[in-house]
Amino acid sequence: QKEVEQNSGPLSVPEGAIASLNCTYSDRGSQSFFWYRQYSGKSPELIMSIYSNGDKEDGRFTAQLNKASQYVSLLIRDSQPSDSATYLCAVNWGNNDMRFGAGTRLTVKP
Amino acid sequence: ETGVTQTPRHLVMGMTNKKSLKCEQHLGHNAMYWYKQSAKKPLELMFVYSLEERVENNSVPSRFSPECPNSSHLFLHLHTLQPEDSALYLCASMNVGLGNTEAFFGQGTRLTVV
């Protein structure tokens, strides 16, 4: 069964620190991986995508993928209070099958 | 104009009502999705339309009925809902089979069944 697991949190970090968000998935057939940010009462917005093993950096965000361990993570450097949100991990297994984790709630304290 | 637009943004309906949710995408994508988001639960995939054909139906009760008249429009018809159907209903679109597959979401419809 295809599942995406995340620690629901809440994860609390001080402003300026590195926030580390983790995600595991159940099936090696997965093809692409995404991190979405969802503010309270809003819809998810895409912040990172990663398709191959290794690191991918975009500004303060770094996504890390390890397919052998079925693990994907998101690092947020220099965390800001505006980063406080729920972060959703998503895995696309192809054939229109895209599934989400329950999300990790992040709070960045000034 | 946003890429994926959902209407209405909020909906309150009785259990005997019939209503419809609408989604429109302006991104030229070839697949559209309905997801249900309940409090503290993962996004639940409800329906997928790819090239206007329904390709996924995850054991959704028949009181939810999707319709995809063309690749840009998607509807979710609702009838005789239950209070537990109250949730945020999200529409998403993506290009399937064309390399990188990123889903883009509409603003969602907050549904309350009374």
Side-chain angles (χ1 to χ4, degrees):
Chain A
Q1 186 163 347
K2 297 168 183 172
E3 291 183 341
V4 181
E5 300 285 344
Q6 292 181 255
N7 186 330
S8 62
L11 173 65
S12 181
V13 300
E15 185 174 356
I18 295 175
S20 178
L21 304 162
N22 303 315
C23 173
T24 58
Y25 56 94
S26 60
D27 190 302
R28 292 179 185 273
S30 48
Q31 298 184 356
S32 47
F33 307 84
F34 307 91
W35 283 99
Y36 286 81
R37 177 176 62 201
Q38 187 174 23
Y39 292 113
S40 180
K42 304 292 186 181
S43 61
E45 58 176 322
L46 180 69
I47 54 172
M48 287 288 286
S49 59
I50 186 165
Y51 302 92
S52 55
N53 280 327
D55 295 0
K56 178 182 178 182
E57 187 174 320
D58 183 0
R60 296 187 294 111
F61 299 96
T62 299
Q64 300 173 316
L65 175 61
N66 184 327
K67 289 188 176 182
S69 300
Q70 295 174 224
Y71 173 91
V72 58
S73 66
L74 179 70
L75 300 177
I76 307 175
R77 289 181 300 281
D78 188 24
S79 296
Q80 302 298 308
S82 59
D83 294 326
S84 298
T86 296
Y87 289 80
L88 305 175
C89 173
V91 178
N92 191 330
W93 271 277
N95 296 323
N96 308 292
D97 196 352
M98 185 156 179
R99 297 177 190 252
F100 288 77
T104 298
R105 187 157 57 92
L106 171 68
T107 301
V108 180
K109 295 186 175 180
Chain B
E1 188 175 60
T2 58
V4 182
T5 304
Q6 287 186 246
T7 55
R9 296 292 304 277
H10 300 274
L11 178 62
V12 180
M13 61 185 289
M15 290 189 283
T16 59
N17 291 158
K18 289 185 180 181
K19 297 286 184 182
S20 295
L21 310 185
K22 179 182 176 182
C23 177
E24 185 174 358
Q25 60 99 358
H26 308 278
L27 300 169
H29 290 165
N30 59 15
M32 297 185 76
Y33 296 67
W34 280 117
Y35 284 90
K36 175 184 178 183
Q37 189 175 38
S38 304
K40 299 184 179 180
K41 292 177 67 176
L43 282 166
E44 299 173 46
L45 180 60
M46 300 177 71
F47 301 104
V48 181
Y49 277 83
S50 179
L51 300 174
E52 301 166 36
E53 287 190 25
R54 189 191 308 181
V55 296
E56 187 86 23
N57 179 344
N58 281 336
S59 302
V60 179
S62 59
R63 56 187 184 268
F64 295 92
S65 175
E67 178 189 1
C68 186
N70 55 60
S71 60
S72 298
H73 293 86
L74 183 66
F75 295 89
L76 187 63
H77 303 301
L78 316 171
H79 64 98
T80 60
L81 295 191
Q82 304 299 310
E84 60 264 30
D85 296 323
S86 299
L88 180 66
Y89 288 83
L90 291 161
C91 173
S93 72
M94 73 168 72
N95 267 331
V96 177
L98 296 173
N100 299 339
T101 52
E102 300 165 342
F104 293 88
F105 285 87
Q107 309 96 315
T109 295
R110 174 68 62 185
L111 174 67
T112 303
V113 181
V114 296

